[in-house]
C-alpha cells in the first residue's frame, strides 16, 4: 500500500496523487487538516520483529502499517495551521497535533517500505556546514564560505573577496529558508547584529544555476536564467525575471548527483548547482523536501510520475 501524508492540495503532494491515479496505482491520502480525526498506534517490535500498528481516520478504513510499501510525507508543524498556531503551547489540541506529527515521523523512520524521506537524511540540511562536507566528499566544488557571528571576521572576509574582485553573498546557516542577498555597504554598517545570529557568507560564484531533482536513480535537471541573485525571488525586483528549461546534465555530473543523494540518504533530493564559465560544477546545498512542482510546472519534466513509480517499486 502507498500512503501520501500532508495537505492534499499542496502541489508536490497533489501532483504525485494525480500521477498515481494516471498510472492506475492505488494509494491512501492522509489529510493533515483532519488531525482531530487521526489516530496512530504501533508496536515497533511487532511480530517477528516487524513493526505493526494501525493508522485510523474517522469514516475511513484503517491502514495496517506493516502493509505500507511506499510513503511520501510532507507533514506540517502546528505553526503552519492558523487554527493551531494561535493557541497556547500547552493547549490540548495543539499538543495532540504535535504528538501525532512526532509519532508519524517515528513510524516513517521505522517503515520497511520506500520512504520519501526519512529523518536521518532530512536532518543533514539542518546544518549547512555539515552538509557541505558531504557535498565535497561527493566530488562537487563548494564556494569559499565563512559562518560567523564575529563582525570583524565577516568584514575581513568581505574585504578580502573585494580585493580579488569577488562579490560576497549571505544567507541563513540553518535549514530556515532565507533570501540570498549580496553584501552591501548598508550591510557592512550593521555587522554588529551578527553577535546574536551567526550568518553564512560565501564568495559569489559566476555561472548559471541548475536545479537537479534526483528520484531514486533518475535525474531531472532544470537550467535557470535569472536577473536576480536568488532566482526564487527575482520577480520581486522591478524588471526581474526567471526562466526555466529542461537541461541535460553531463553524464558524470548526473552520476555524481545520484551518488550525493545516496550519501545523504535522500532518495528524493533537490540539488542546487551552478556551472561556472570554465565548466566547473559548484554545489550550494541539497533540499531534502524539494518543492519540485515549481520546476515541473515550468518545464513539463515528469518528476511526479518518477516519484509515483519509485513509491510503487
Amino acid at each position: 500500500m502507498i500512503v501520501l501524508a500532508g495537505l492534499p492540495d499542496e502541489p508536490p503532494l497533489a501532483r504525485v496523487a494525480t500521477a498515481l491515479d494516471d498510472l492506475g496505482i492505488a494509494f491512501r491520502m492522509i489529510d493533515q487538516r483532519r488531525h482531530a480525526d487521526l489516530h496512530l498506534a504501533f508496536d515497533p517490535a511487532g511480530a517477528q520483529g516487524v513493526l505493526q500498528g494501525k493508522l485510523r481516520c474517522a469514516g475511513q478504513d484503517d491502514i495496517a502499517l506493516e502493509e505500507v510499501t511506499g510513503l511520501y510525507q510532507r507533514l506540517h508543524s502546528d505553526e503552519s495551521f492558523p487554527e493551531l498556531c494561535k493557541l497556547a503551547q500547552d493547549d490540548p489540541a495543539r499538543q495532540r497535533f504535535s504528538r501525532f506529527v512526532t509519532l508519524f515521523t517515528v513510524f516513517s523512520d521505522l517503515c520497511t517500505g520506500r520512504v520519501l524521506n526519512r529523518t536521518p537524511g532530512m536532518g543533514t540540511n539542518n546544518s549547512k556546514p555539515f552538509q557541505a562536507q558531504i557535498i565535497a566528499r561527493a566530488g562537487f566544488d563548494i564556494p569559499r564560505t565563512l559562518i560567523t557571528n564575529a563582525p570583524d571576521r565577516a568584514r575581513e572576509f568581505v574585504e578580502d573577496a573585494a580585493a580579488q574582485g569577488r562579490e560576497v553573498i549571505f544567507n541563513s546557516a540553518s535549514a530556515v529558508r532565507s533570501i540570498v542577498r549580496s553584501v552591501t555597504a548598508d550591510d557592512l554598517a550593521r555587522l554588529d547584529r551578527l553577535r546574536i545570529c551567526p550568518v553564512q557568507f560565501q564568495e559569489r560564484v559566476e555561472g548559471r544555476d541548475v536545479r537537479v531533482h534526483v528520484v531514486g536513480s533518475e535525474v531531472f535537471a532544470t537550467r535557470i536564467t535569472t536577473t536576480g541573485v536568488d532566482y526564487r525571488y527575482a520577480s520581486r525586483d522591478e524588471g526581474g525575471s526567471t526562466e526555466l528549461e529542461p537541461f541535460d546534465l553531463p553524464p558524470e555530473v548526473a552520476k555524481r548527483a545520484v551518488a550525493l543523494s545516496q550519501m545523504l540518504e535522500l532518495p528524493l533530493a533537490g540539488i542546487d548547482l551552478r556551472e561556472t564559465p570554465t565548466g566547473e560544477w559548484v554545489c550550494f546545498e541539497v533540499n531534502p523536501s524539494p518543492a519540485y512542482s515549481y520546476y515541473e510546472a515550468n518545464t513539463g519534466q515528469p518528476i511526479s510520475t518518477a516519484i509515483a513509480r519509485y513509491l510503487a517499486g
Side-chain angles (χ1 to χ4, degrees):
M1 176 185 297
I2 293 174
V3 173
L4 309 182
L7 303 180
D9 56 351
E10 186 186 30
L13 212 61
R15 284 177 174 265
V16 172
T18 299
L20 288 167
D21 277 334
D22 291 344
L23 292 169
I25 300 172
F27 68 94
R28 290 284 299 275
M29 176 71 77
I30 303 302
D31 185 352
Q32 205 177 2
R33 288 195 182 92
R34 297 191 60 186
H35 53 86
D37 296 328
L38 295 172
H39 178 74
L40 178 64
F42 59 84
D43 177 4
Q48 289 81 48
V50 178
L51 177 147
Q52 290 186 324
K54 298 288 185 183
L55 175 58
R56 296 190 175 95
C57 183
Q60 300 179 5
D61 293 337
D62 291 353
I63 295 175
L65 300 184
E66 61 271 22
E67 296 177 5
V68 175
T69 56
L71 172 62
Y72 179 35
Q73 56 172 345
R74 289 183 61 87
L75 295 183
H76 294 258
S77 68
D78 49 310
E79 285 86 1
S80 302
F81 283 75
E83 71 272 21
L84 292 175
C85 66
K86 297 177 183 178
L87 300 176
Q89 290 288 343
D90 59 355
D91 185 278
R94 189 166 185 172
Q95 289 190 334
R96 184 185 186 281
F97 179 93
S98 297
R99 283 195 294 269
F100 176 83
V101 172
T102 299
L103 195 58
F104 195 95
T105 301
V106 173
F107 158 63
S108 71
D109 288 344
L110 297 175
C111 177
T112 57
R114 295 187 166 198
V115 177
L116 304 175
N117 284 313
R118 302 179 196 269
T119 301
M122 298 275 284
T124 61
N125 196 45
N126 289 334
S127 171
K128 287 191 171 78
F130 173 73
Q131 191 186 76
Q133 295 178 60
I134 301 175
I135 290 170
R137 287 204 297 270
F140 285 107
D141 291 334
I142 57 176
R144 182 168 173 258
T145 302
L146 171 69
I147 298 175
T148 185
N149 66 339
D152 290 343
R153 292 194 64 192
R155 188 182 303 278
E156 181 182 354
F157 184 84
V158 174
E159 291 176 348
D160 180 61
Q164 301 177 57
R166 297 172 184 167
E167 187 179 357
V168 172
I169 60 174
F170 68 97
N171 65 348
S172 167
S174 71
V176 177
R177 188 170 188 172
S178 61
I179 301 176
V180 180
R181 301 182 186 276
S182 299
V183 176
T184 66
D186 288 342
D187 296 322
L188 292 176
R190 60 191 182 101
L191 281 179
D192 280 346
R193 298 185 182 182
L194 285 180
R195 299 184 191 280
I196 60 172
C197 182
V199 170
Q200 175 172 275
F201 297 89
Q202 293 182 319
E203 288 188 352
R204 185 173 184 179
V205 178
E206 296 299 326
R208 181 169 292 182
D209 289 306
V210 177
R211 162 55 81 95
V212 177
H213 289 97
V214 175
V215 184
S217 59
E218 292 191 73
V219 175
F220 302 89
T222 303
R223 186 163 61 186
I224 301 154
T225 304
T226 184
T227 59
V229 175
D230 190 330
Y231 69 84
R232 299 170 300 174
Y233 302 98
S235 60
R236 295 184 179 183
D237 301 327
E238 184 176 353
S241 65
T242 296
E243 296 181 2
L244 284 67
E245 59 181 335
F247 179 72
D248 291 328
L249 277 178
E252 67 276 10
V253 179
K255 183 177 179 180
R256 203 181 307 162
V258 173
L260 174 57
S261 70
Q262 292 174 347
M263 290 172 68
L264 291 169
E265 300 181 22
L266 295 172
L268 172 61
I271 304 175
D272 291 323
L273 302 180
R274 183 166 291 173
E275 182 184 15
T276 71
T278 56
E280 298 165 316
W281 288 89
V282 177
C283 181
F284 297 108
E285 67 175 311
V286 182
N287 190 320
S289 184
Y292 72 88
S293 51
Y294 166 70
Y295 304 86
E296 181 175 85
N298 281 278
T299 65
Q301 297 176 99
I303 304 172
S304 58
T305 299
I307 294 173
R309 291 186 182 279
Y310 177 85
L311 292 171

